[in-house]
Amino acid sequence: MHINGGAKLKSLKSASSVSLSHEDFERQNTVKCGLQRTFGNPTPVGLLGILLSATPLSCDLIGWRGAGGNGNASIGAYIFFGGLLLIISGLLEFVLGNTFPFVVFLSFGAFWLSYAITLQPSYNAYTAYAPDNSTSSSAGLASKGFNASFAFLLLFMAVLCLVFLICSLRTNIVYVVVFTTQVAVFGLLTGMHFQLASAGVVMLVSTMAIWWIFFATMLEALDFPFQIPVGDISWMIKGASSLLEDNSLA
């Protein structure tokens, strides 16, 4: 009985020790060792969730084809692509021991769910700010009180993306572009007077970078004979383990 429990504990420790090295982060090959025969790579699912929620919203904010309304038409996509897919992929990254993508996917999954809920009148997020003499609850979306209050969430999402940006300096150029533009997006959306068109353009640049890394991930997952470059920059900042190894050899 004790032996079986120890074996299970050893197996659990072995699974939890799977981590995302900078080489694996560059190539997005997050499934390692024996887990590769059991689990698929969850990273493309998370990237897909971001793409099919952020890309339509960026086009909406720019106002292409007469679009508008802060992205209300895509609430379903925010919930199922931006929320559900990102949370599922984040939990799978957690199972595989990939801390950084786990935190990123769950953070953005929670944001997209929050954004979708905020846009629904039944949750009274913006309707509570509608003027008393207004005949439409949607007037709350344009109110100073709602925009000033909602801006705090966007502000701290910008701070979070700044943290992710710093961490991405150990990965590749594409991720640096993604998080740099995400900081700019949330920074623009934080202002009292939202610059929706400007934010939409920057968000579109960010989603183009995510489309690139998504394509690279799928090529890698299917073992294509060619790969597209993502611009490895992990050599610029040595990891703590590499520095310890260098010191031990000195």
Side-chain angles (χ1 to χ4, degrees):
M1 194 78 162
H2 176 72
I3 295 176
N4 289 339
K8 289 181 179 179
L9 180 60
K10 183 178 180 181
S11 175
L12 180 60
K13 287 182 176 179
S14 176
S16 65
S17 65
V18 177
S19 60
L20 191 64
S21 66
H22 68 273
E23 291 88 356
D24 288 332
F25 207 146
E26 174 198 351
R27 297 169 62 82
Q28 283 295 290
N29 183 17
T30 56
V31 184
K32 303 181 70 174
C33 304
L35 295 178
Q36 188 172 9
R37 295 188 295 271
T38 305
F39 298 103
N41 186 352
T43 303
V45 177
L47 295 175
L48 187 64
I50 296 175
L51 287 172
L52 292 184
S53 50
T55 308
L57 179 59
S58 64
C59 297
D60 192 302
L61 295 180
I62 294 172
W64 284 348
R65 305 288 297 179
N70 293 339
N72 295 58
S74 300
I75 288 178
Y78 306 151
I79 294 174
F80 293 102
F81 283 106
L84 185 61
L85 285 191
L86 277 167
I87 288 176
I88 290 175
S89 59
L91 291 176
L92 290 176
E93 296 283 9
F94 169 77
V95 170
L96 296 176
N98 298 328
T99 302
F100 186 71
F102 153 61
V103 174
V104 170
F105 287 161
L106 286 189
S107 299
F108 276 89
F111 168 76
W112 284 111
L113 286 176
S114 301
Y115 188 68
I117 287 175
T118 300
L119 293 177
Q120 295 194 56
S122 58
Y123 281 87
N124 201 35
Y126 65 84
T127 55
Y129 293 90
D132 295 334
N133 59 354
S134 175
T135 58
S136 174
S137 60
S138 62
L141 283 171
S143 68
K144 180 179 179 181
F146 170 76
N147 286 315
S149 299
F150 188 65
F152 285 112
L153 172 61
L154 302 172
L155 171 63
F156 289 105
M157 279 299 297
V159 173
L160 179 62
C161 288
L162 180 60
V163 174
F164 291 156
L165 170 60
I166 295 171
C167 294
S168 70
L169 295 176
R170 284 276 297 141
T171 60
N172 57 59
I173 293 174
V174 178
Y175 274 108
V176 171
V177 172
V178 168
F179 291 116
T180 299
T181 50
Q182 286 295 308
V183 171
V185 165
F186 286 111
L188 287 169
L189 291 175
T190 298
M192 179 66 74
H193 302 287
F194 291 97
Q195 301 295 321
L196 295 182
S198 298
V201 171
V202 179
M203 183 180 286
L204 187 62
V205 173
S206 182
T207 56
M208 290 302 100
I210 299 174
W211 278 111
W212 183 272
I213 200 73
F214 174 73
F215 186 37
T217 302
M218 295 305 295
L219 291 177
E220 172 67 22
L222 295 173
D223 196 25
F224 263 65
F226 65 90
Q227 303 294 323
I228 59 175
V230 293
D232 177 32
I233 56 173
S234 59
W235 55 270
M236 295 178 62
I237 302 177
K238 284 193 173 183
S241 57
S242 298
L243 292 175
L244 288 174
E245 183 178 349
D246 291 344
N247 291 334
S248 64
L249 294 176

